[in-house]
Amino acid sequence: MAKIVIIGGHGKVALLLAPLLAERGDEVTSIIRTAEQAVDVAAAGASPLLLDIETASAPELAAVLRGADAVVFSAGAGGGDPTRTYAVDRDAAIRSMQAAQDAGVRRYVMVSYLGAGPDHGVPEGDSFFPYAEAKAAADTALRASELDWTILMPGRLTLDEPTGAVDLGATRAADNPGTSRANVAAMAAAVLADPTTIGKDLPFTDGDVPVAKALAAAS
């Protein structure tokens, strides 16, 4: 049994990930922003923990991470407000990395997106630009950290039913198939239990190869 903290615990991926972890015997704590989200989180099999990561300091985050075996960062501002996007997707993410290190939690899984990076190619005038910049900064900081990191880079997210199969050779393209959020959750659960994924970027979309077999081939 592992103790896992999900940051952004009321997000769609997080609510699909929590039951996968709980069902295999892991102890899951999901950090949420509002008390109203607690019911959904508890129904998913996680213990809700109220903390606004947008304003929480690194020491405050470290206090709630201490004793955990792993952290999954699945939070996001949801777009729309560039200031909040940078505050959550970049600044809070980077603070959480420092907090994990300070709390002695080495394993850290980041949910990013396919094509993320300093060379993301999104024009500055595009509404997606702040998110692309924020994720590029956060992912770069994670790679430079001393954490045992894995970065999940799914393609366009959908609410399709999970197939349990992915394409780990995916590259960003207009005609890419989508990536079901349930498959992202399955990938997150799988990499948490697979130390061969430490130090790896894992770009993927829905595909034809079962998650476990795809990860084994990538090791």
Side-chain angles (χ1 to χ4, degrees), residues 25-36:
D26 292 336
E27 181 181 319
V28 186
T29 298
S30 288
I31 295 177
I32 55 175
R33 189 166 57 89
T34 67
E36 291 75 18

Side-chain angles (χ1 to χ4, degrees), residues 99-185:
Q101 292 180 165
D102 293 346
V105 184
R106 293 196 57 84
R107 190 70 173 105
Y108 191 110
V109 175
M110 171 68 77
V111 179
S112 188
Y113 74 95
L114 186 62
D119 57 348
H120 54 71
V122 179
E124 190 167 349
D126 194 301
S127 61
F128 192 70
F129 180 80
Y131 180 75
E133 285 286 285
K135 294 303 282 186
D139 292 354
T140 297
L142 182 55
R143 294 185 192 102
S145 75
E146 297 178 358
L147 298 169
D148 292 336
W149 57 269
T150 303
I151 300 177
L152 299 179
M153 308 178 82
R156 176 181 53 84
L157 296 176
T158 75
L159 290 172
D160 293 344
E161 290 297 313
T163 62
V166 295
D167 173 10
L168 278 181
T171 55
R172 190 173 184 181
D175 60 351
N176 267 349
T179 313
S180 74
R181 287 175 170 85
N183 276 350
V184 179

Side-chain angles (χ1 to χ4, degrees), residues 16-30:
L16 293 166
L17 172 59
L20 297 180
L21 300 176
E23 285 165 11
R24 72 185 188 194
D26 292 336
E27 181 181 319
V28 186
T29 298
S30 288

